[in-house]
Amino acid sequence: MDVIHTVAELRARLKGEPSIALVPTMGNLHPGHLSLVEVAKRHGTRIVATIFVNRLQFEPGGDFDRYPRTLEHDCAALEEAGCHVVFAPGERELYPEPQDIRLTPPKSAEQLCGLFRPGHFEGVLTVVTKLFHIVAPHTAVFGAKDYQQLHVIRALERQLNFGIRIVAAPTVREPDGLAMSSRNGYLTREERAKAPQLQQNVRRIKDLIEGGRKDFDALLRGAVDDLTGAGWRVDYVALRNRSKLEAPVPGDRELVVLGAAWLGKTRLIDNLEVLATP
Ligand code: AMP
């Protein structure tokens, strides 16, 4: 496996590769990230993972500085997983001049996490666009754990005609149901014990809707109340249709429940797709 730090070297390394599958990450890799590499192997013969903690997508006062950086461990895990090339640029390599050209996110990014993390999706779309241009992959794999991000990146790919196949990988969870995340490492022991409650609430809504309940607002409010009562600070628990990420209208069946909430200083997100009854 090659570990490459500059754009020029990466381009030289990948020149002429007929089947590149890209896995973009911010590092501090866990089995969820490595599952993306497994998915990538089904879609390409050259697997390129990127590791870059992208300052642009952290809101002011966010956790950019304390975000864990574990390059050596990450490279060992990626090699073991069968990755071929790691691109780990420094900040000045990716942003050699002020990045004042930014991507404007679509309407669907102005809600949910977009409401609570100003500038986040602008930063995500800008770095993903750069990585798409630098790596020129045929396929790119993103986790369904970041459901709105995946939705917004699909829009980016369509609206800017990248011609890259965007593949979604399912969320990998801890045995108690908590979605794996680099941010789980921030949790205290007490917070970690509570953390599965977000997923439990999302799952409960899914199960009730799949069982025929139509009182969506009451179900969502119930989850917010439950989490708040348990000591969480809830950003949102919401139901959307999968196609447009809009509030469902009667007849919409392919839905998704999404939640984002804080335990202490740590913000966790989760979601589950729902197939509503007719
Ligand atoms: P991050 O390093 O957090 O930016 O995540 C890099 C990629 O890994 C994104 O496409 C995430 O959606 C994906 N990812 C993160 N956690 C998980 C998980 N638990 N299961 C599947 N994919 C994940």
Side-chain angles (χ1 to χ4, degrees):
M1 187 180 77
D2 299 319
V3 180
I4 294 175
H5 301 285
T6 67
V7 173
E9 277 174 274
L10 186 75
R11 287 209 162 117
R13 171 67 182 78
L14 296 178
K15 201 173 165 101
E17 286 287 358
S19 173
I20 298 171
L22 169 67
V23 178
T25 82
M26 297 204 298
N28 192 235
L29 303 186
H30 52 63
H33 294 112
L34 300 178
S35 78
L36 270 51
V37 172
E38 285 306 315
V39 171
K41 286 187 202 162
R42 302 206 288 265
H43 293 275
T45 54
R46 230 9 122 233
I47 312 303
V48 179
T50 64
I51 297 178
F52 182 68
V53 184
N54 176 38
R55 185 189 291 274
L56 293 192
Q57 73 189 69
F58 287 77
E59 55 276 38
D63 59 346
F64 175 78
D65 287 327
R66 71 167 176 150
Y67 200 85
R69 284 138 172 109
T70 53
L71 184 60
E72 221 173 292
H73 154 275
D74 294 346
C75 287
L78 285 168
E79 180 149 39
E80 168 85 22
C83 182
H84 301 102
V85 177
V86 174
F87 178 50
E91 237 190 327
R92 246 178 284 154
E93 181 66 17
L94 218 52
Y95 297 126
E97 60 185 63
Q99 185 69 36
D100 46 12
I101 297 179
R102 308 268 180 107
L103 274 285
T104 303
K107 269 262 174 295
S108 63
E110 291 172 3
Q111 53 168 347
L112 306 173
C113 286
L115 267 187
F116 293 92
R117 304 189 67 188
H120 172 67
F121 287 117
E122 178 185 290
V124 169
L125 292 182
T126 302
V127 80
V128 168
T129 296
K130 288 170 73 90
L131 293 173
F132 281 178
H133 285 311
I134 293 166
V135 177
H138 304 86
T139 299
V141 184
F142 295 88
K145 190 217 150 204
D146 298 272
Y147 202 91
Q148 188 178 18
Q149 168 174 284
L150 174 64
H151 192 274
V152 166
I153 286 170
R154 286 192 191 283
L156 170 78
E157 193 283 328
R158 286 193 309 272
Q159 293 189 22
L160 293 191
N161 305 86
F162 275 100
I164 295 171
R165 177 170 33 179
I166 305 297
V167 174
T171 302
V172 176
R173 299 179 178 283
E174 301 287 356
D176 62 6
L178 175 64
M180 289 189 180
S181 164
S182 303
R183 294 192 165 95
N184 293 348
Y186 298 156
L187 298 169
T188 64
R189 193 132 50 97
E190 297 75 48
E191 289 167 349
R192 175 62 188 82
K194 276 191 191 179
Q197 291 171 349
L198 177 60
Q199 189 266 345
Q200 287 157 7
N201 271 280
V202 167
R203 179 168 299 280
R204 186 177 134 80
I205 294 171
K206 168 187 167 72
D207 290 346
L208 289 170
I209 293 175
E210 292 188 339
R213 290 276 291 266
K214 299 284 179 200
D215 52 341
F216 300 155
D217 287 344
L219 296 179
L220 298 168
R221 258 198 318 274
V224 172
D225 290 346
D226 184 73
L227 290 166
T228 307
W232 295 67
R233 182 157 62 80
V234 179
D235 279 354
Y236 63 81
V237 179
L239 186 67
R240 294 289 183 266
N241 61 35
R242 289 181 223 165
S243 55
K244 296 196 172 145
L245 226 52
E246 290 174 352
V249 295
D252 278 346
R253 292 195 57 205
E254 297 196 334
L255 309 179
V256 55
V257 188
L258 310 102
W262 295 77
L263 274 176
K265 291 194 168 93
T266 306
R267 186 176 187 272
L268 300 179
I269 60 172
D270 210 333
N271 70 81
L272 284 173
E273 292 187 340
V274 179
L275 186 61
T277 54

